[in-house]
Amino acid sequence: MDLHFSPEDEEFRARLHAWLEEHAGRLEDAAGVMKGAGAANIMDAIQMARDWQRTLWEAGYVGLSWPEKYGGQDASLTEQVIVTEELAAVSTPPLINTIGLTILGPTLIRHGTEQQRERFLPKILTAEELWCQGFSEPEAGSDLAALTTRAEIDGDDFVVNGQKVWTSLAPIADWCFLLVRSDPDAPKREGISYLLCDMKTPGLTVTPLRNAAGGIHFSEMFFRDVRIPRANLVGDLHGGWQIARTTLEHERSGLSSVLALEQNLARLRRTASNIALGDGRAIDDQAISRELAQLWIEVEGLRHLGYRTLSDQIAGRPPGATASVGKLFAAQLRQRITHLALKIEGPLAPVTKKSPHVVERGRWNAAYFDALGHSIGGGTSEIQRNTIAERVLGLPRSVQD
Amino acid sequence: MDFELSEEQVVLREAVRDFLARRWDAAHMRRALDDPPALIPAELWKEMGSLGWIGIATAEDVGGSGSDVLTASVLAEESGRGLLPATLSSVIAAATAIDRGGDALRTSVLPALCAGDHRVVCAIEEPGGTWGPDAVTLEASAGADGWVLSGTKILVPDTEGADLCLVAARTPAALGFVTVPTDAPGVTVTPMRRLDAQSIAEVTFDGVVVPATALVGGPERAEKTLRATYDIWTVLGAADLLGVAETALEMTTAYAKERTQFGRPIGSFQAVSHRLADLLVDVEISRSLLYAACLALDEDQADASALVSAAKAFASDTAVRATEAAVHLHGGIGFTWDLDVHLYLRRARAGAASLGDPDFHRDRVARALGRDRTDQDERR
């Protein structure tokens, strides 16, 4: 057992580190943009975020594990982990095309046609085309396979009618990958197809939704006789469910959440050091310092679980249901960090952003709301528990259908 | 980068599991509850010596297997799983103390100890309401013929058949282990009774005279040796609890697949399956922390103690949660004397409160994080 990176990997890390220092200015611009540029310059902001991803790609730090012929680096998994770690260490925001990079890209590499790979993969890497995901529907959330958005074949096209919801980035995305009901008579998991849709296609409209935190992160999408060429079918006709399953597993794996949690916790320790409590500071209170210690323990647990998952991947075992373990634990941990933060803020916890006396410009209330979404999006915590119960513990299915 | 057990370690785990399945019955522990303590029979102990397990983490030149703490944790975990008294853990820890700090003792004690012919115990805890080297008050004061030990140790494991005791004491030279023969004048051993029938005792020292050379590691290395030993013993305690937790989860999962109510296996009800899924998560996090802590000890990393505390705190909470769930989810049958489930609960409860409870270890982590913070402030 060892947790050391090879000398070649460490050299790679040093080069990346030097590159990031050199581009620190650009990084700050991009970070500022992602953290909330005003609506007035939103288009500029998006362009800057696209440019930042492209710059990073040109330097060889995007698409590490993708094949070289599609613009990737054919690099090792460990190099990919190093990039994730180093980017998180300098607090870079997620890349703007993360959905395309982490979900669609790996799916096309595995299930796409050669033509689809050549057409779409390079532009995912450069952020020339931003992607969104059209899976959930008003009546198909946790029970995703109950989706009813209908696709009928008409000549060389699918004609799509229906509604999608909770779509992140929809107003700015150029393309959408979506699941549709292509055979309404088949059992529900056997009549689903996986399509790629240009967001400019006539009949497709996007309505942004305001979330509980007050921001706009997701939207509704309405499809009215939207024509999608048959060439944009991924995998087999009616074979979309199996593909989506692998897609969801990609969404659930990864060490990146650990790094975000680690930074959250480090920030919370600074908050606790700055807030007065009785005669001292909050961090010196035994109950609070114990809770902070417990959260540190859990972040370390999640990090080392991630190393075990990575070791399995390097050894050629694919991320399966164990990814659910990490996702479930990470969502709970993220929420507990923000709960403790609000507890430490005490009487000032309800004070919001632009108020006098507000703690850290209201960061923790924002983080609190954000954390609540983590046990819902990408498969609720209950769905993760079902997955663990059925696929790891081998318990009988809890839902009959 | 490879953060899983090696092939050799997996083979060892299977060998130990198979050996214990054939040679040790959990029912011994149930019987011992009425007639404590539960002891490993001499011939079984000897056999484990010849398999190289007692000296697993002891150097080869004195009869050990020359392996590391991570490998020793495999033995501890299987002891927990098989409900074998945790004597391997306590003796493995004592052996590392002598190996690292023992000088002359290394060659005089370790070969027989590794072979299973000779037993050494560590006496650290005292009746002060807490745990560990920092709480040691027992004093070895300077006397005419050497040092004079007076005071009380409690919760001392496995005194039966032990001929040498490593007593954590504050000596004129340093805080550290002092070796005391168990038959020395002034030593009194009084059995205590533990919730899970494992052997513990009170050991009192009333004017026991030892030479200054009895300080393990000498003035320079005595404290480091004591602290390292406590960390190793603690991480083996975490491994034991992981074995307990994982077994409780497996037993309960198997029962939830079999037991039918309302015409369905109870494991198909989410109130049951989700509790088991949460426990699986806790077990996986415990295992990850255990590996991290063992690796940190084996590589002598600066944050090793914090990771040891992390592993012990999390494994303790997990083992208690898992075994309480096991009792509950087995229903009425889970509350019977004849089912093994309460034996695991007893071991979890006793183990969680031994070698530092979860709050003790969270405080240790908090202090380590505080030191980091001070270092950073100073650098700034």
Side-chain angles (χ1 to χ4, degrees), chain A residues 1-5 269 281 283 286 290 293-294 296 301 304-305 308 311 385-386 393-394 398, chain B residues 1-4 253 257 268 270 274 278 281 284 287-289 292 295 299 359 362-363 365 369 373:
Chain A
M1 182 176 290
D2 85 282
L3 276 180
H4 300 287
F5 291 93
R269 294 185 60 80
R281 298 168 306 161
I283 200 165
Q286 191 185 39
R290 261 183 197 166
Q294 178 65 21
W296 181 85
H304 288 94
L305 178 77
R308 288 176 58 211
S311 301
R385 290 189 181 95
N386 282 351
L393 296 173
S398 57
Chain B
M1 161 73 64
D2 179 15
F3 198 56
E4 290 287 4
T253 302
K257 290 177 190 173
S268 69
Q270 288 177 333
H274 284 191
D278 283 333
V281 172
E284 289 302 321
R287 181 173 298 289
S288 306
L289 286 168
L295 194 64
E299 294 186 349
D359 276 345
R362 282 189 272 270
D363 288 346
V365 167
L369 294 175
R373 194 180 75 213

Side-chain angles (χ1 to χ4, degrees), chain B residues 313-331:
Chain B
F314 204 88
S316 296
D317 285 335
T318 297
V320 169
R321 268 200 293 274
T323 52
E324 285 179 352
V327 171
H328 180 79
L329 294 174
H330 277 81

Side-chain angles (χ1 to χ4, degrees), chain B residues 14-259:
Chain B
E14 282 161 12
V16 180
R17 194 174 297 184
D18 180 57
F19 177 85
L20 292 181
R22 284 185 288 109
R23 302 296 305 278
W24 180 258
D25 187 348
H28 296 320
M29 298 307 286
R30 181 172 18 251
R31 280 195 293 278
L33 287 170
D34 291 324
D35 185 17
L39 297 175
I40 299 175
E43 67 277 9
L44 192 58
W45 185 251
K46 186 91 180 107
E47 206 171 329
M48 292 195 286
S50 68
L51 286 163
W53 295 350
I54 301 172
I56 190 88
T58 305
E60 285 169 295
D61 67 312
V62 286
S65 302
S67 204
D68 51 16
V69 176
L70 179 65
T71 309
S73 80
V74 172
L75 295 174
E77 187 185 330
E78 290 307 313
S79 297
R81 169 177 286 274
L83 291 178
L84 184 77
T87 318
L88 265 176
S89 297
S90 67
V91 176
I92 286 169
T96 61
I98 297 171
D99 195 12
R100 289 165 186 225
D103 308 320
L105 280 177
R106 284 187 79 242
T107 46
S108 64
V109 172
L110 289 179
L113 185 145
C114 292
D117 293 331
H118 177 84
R119 205 78 74 77
V120 179
V121 294
C122 294
I124 299 172
E125 315 297 8
E126 298 180 11
T130 181
W131 297 263
D134 287 320
V136 168
T137 63
L138 189 140
E139 238 182 293
S141 51
D145 307 317
W147 293 342
V148 183
L149 258 68
S150 286
T152 302
K153 293 291 181 183
I154 59 171
L155 306 165
V156 180
D158 306 311
T159 50
E160 292 81 5
D163 24 35
L164 196 65
C165 192
L166 303 183
V167 186
R170 294 189 184 272
T171 76
L175 170 67
F177 280 126
V178 174
T179 54
V180 181
T182 47
D183 59 358
V187 176
T188 310
V189 178
T190 310
M192 297 170 72
R193 287 187 170 209
R194 195 170 121 139
L195 182 65
D196 62 353
Q198 290 201 55
S199 160
I200 48 170
E202 174 197 66
V203 183
T204 56
F205 303 86
D206 184 11
V208 177
V209 179
V210 294
T213 53
L215 184 63
V216 178
E220 299 292 315
R221 282 178 299 134
E223 183 169 342
K224 191 170 189 289
T225 303
L226 168 61
R227 291 186 185 281
T229 304
Y230 200 72
D231 275 347
I232 291 170
W233 196 3
T234 302
V235 92
L236 297 180
D240 188 300
L241 288 163
L242 172 61
V244 168
E246 194 166 68
T247 311
L249 173 60
E250 288 169 11
M251 289 167 76
T252 313
T253 302
Y255 184 72
K257 290 177 190 173
E258 265 169 32
R259 171 72 176 166

Side-chain angles (χ1 to χ4, degrees), chain A residues 68-392:
Chain A
E68 224 169 326
K69 61 191 280 205
Y70 309 121
Q73 301 292 325
D74 261 327
S76 66
L77 259 173
T78 42
E79 285 181 339
Q80 191 183 335
V81 168
I82 289 168
V83 171
T84 310
E85 284 187 346
E86 290 297 317
L87 288 178
V90 290
S91 295
T92 55
L95 293 175
I96 187 161
N97 214 10
T98 291
I99 295 171
L101 288 167
T102 59
I103 305 177
L104 180 65
T107 302
L108 287 183
I109 291 169
R110 208 159 143 186
H111 302 284
T113 62
E114 189 53 34
Q115 204 186 358
Q116 287 168 344
R117 292 182 194 140
E118 283 170 6
R119 163 67 188 79
F120 294 111
L121 292 176
K123 291 180 176 176
I124 295 175
L125 293 171
T126 57
E128 205 177 323
E129 288 173 348
L130 301 184
W131 284 83
C132 63
Q133 170 181 285
F135 280 11
S136 296
E137 298 180 4
E139 299 303 324
S142 287
D143 186 8
L144 184 60
L147 60 92
T148 56
T149 292
R150 183 80 175 88
E152 284 170 288
I153 295 171
D154 179 29
D156 286 337
D157 292 336
F158 289 96
V159 179
V160 176
N161 281 285
Q163 183 190 349
K164 295 288 177 182
V165 73
W166 319 133
T167 311
S168 301
L169 294 187
I172 63 166
D174 303 291
W175 282 82
C176 175
F177 54 97
L178 72 158
L179 293 178
V180 292
R181 171 88 33 216
S182 47
D183 181 358
D185 301 322
K188 71 178 184 178
R189 289 181 182 74
E190 290 160 29
I192 293 172
S193 294
Y194 197 117
L195 302 179
L196 308 176
C197 178
D198 186 334
M199 293 294 283
K200 289 185 293 291
T201 315
L204 171 52
T205 52
V206 171
T207 311
L209 288 171
R210 202 164 177 205
N211 69 18
I216 290 172
H217 286 280
F218 44 56
S219 305
E220 291 175 290
M221 291 193 293
F222 297 92
F223 293 79
R224 286 193 191 91
D225 292 329
V226 172
R227 298 190 81 86
I228 298 177
R230 281 194 72 156
N232 288 0
L233 168 71
V234 180
D236 295 334
L237 182 66
H238 312 319
W241 183 253
Q242 283 309 320
I243 297 174
R245 256 174 90 114
T246 58
T247 299
L248 289 171
E249 279 166 8
H250 278 287
E251 191 175 12
R252 278 169 201 162
S253 60
L255 272 162
S256 54
S257 66
V258 179
L259 300 153
L261 289 171
E262 186 179 15
Q263 283 167 1
N264 263 345
L265 184 58
R267 195 168 282 129
L268 176 55
R269 294 185 60 80
R270 286 199 293 278
T271 303
S273 303
N274 293 333
I275 285 189
L277 182 72
D279 296 333
R281 298 168 306 161
I283 200 165
D284 299 320
D285 176 80
Q286 191 185 39
I288 287 170
S289 77
R290 261 183 197 166
E291 285 193 57
L292 283 166
Q294 178 65 21
L295 294 172
W296 181 85
I297 289 169
E298 294 180 15
V299 170
E300 288 306 306
L302 188 66
R303 180 208 313 285
H304 288 94
L305 178 77
Y307 288 141
R308 288 176 58 211
T309 308
L310 175 64
S311 301
D312 290 346
Q313 286 173 320
I314 291 171
R317 295 179 286 268
T322 50
S324 293
V325 174
K327 176 166 194 294
L328 176 56
F329 193 73
Q332 290 171 338
L333 184 48
R334 190 181 289 266
Q335 290 172 0
R336 294 184 42 218
I337 289 172
T338 60
H339 287 165
L340 182 58
L342 296 179
K343 180 168 150 180
I344 287 171
E345 287 189 9
L348 294 178
V351 177
T352 63
K353 210 166 174 178
K354 288 172 184 164
S355 162
H357 300 286
V358 66
V359 178
E360 293 182 34
R361 286 175 294 161
R363 160 193 298 285
W364 289 112
N365 270 317
Y368 169 73
F369 276 100
D370 177 63
L372 288 179
H374 281 257
S375 55
I376 304 170
T380 65
S381 287
E382 285 68 26
I383 290 296
Q384 310 305 327
R385 290 189 181 95
N386 282 351
T387 304
I388 293 166
E390 290 159 25
R391 291 170 63 189
V392 182

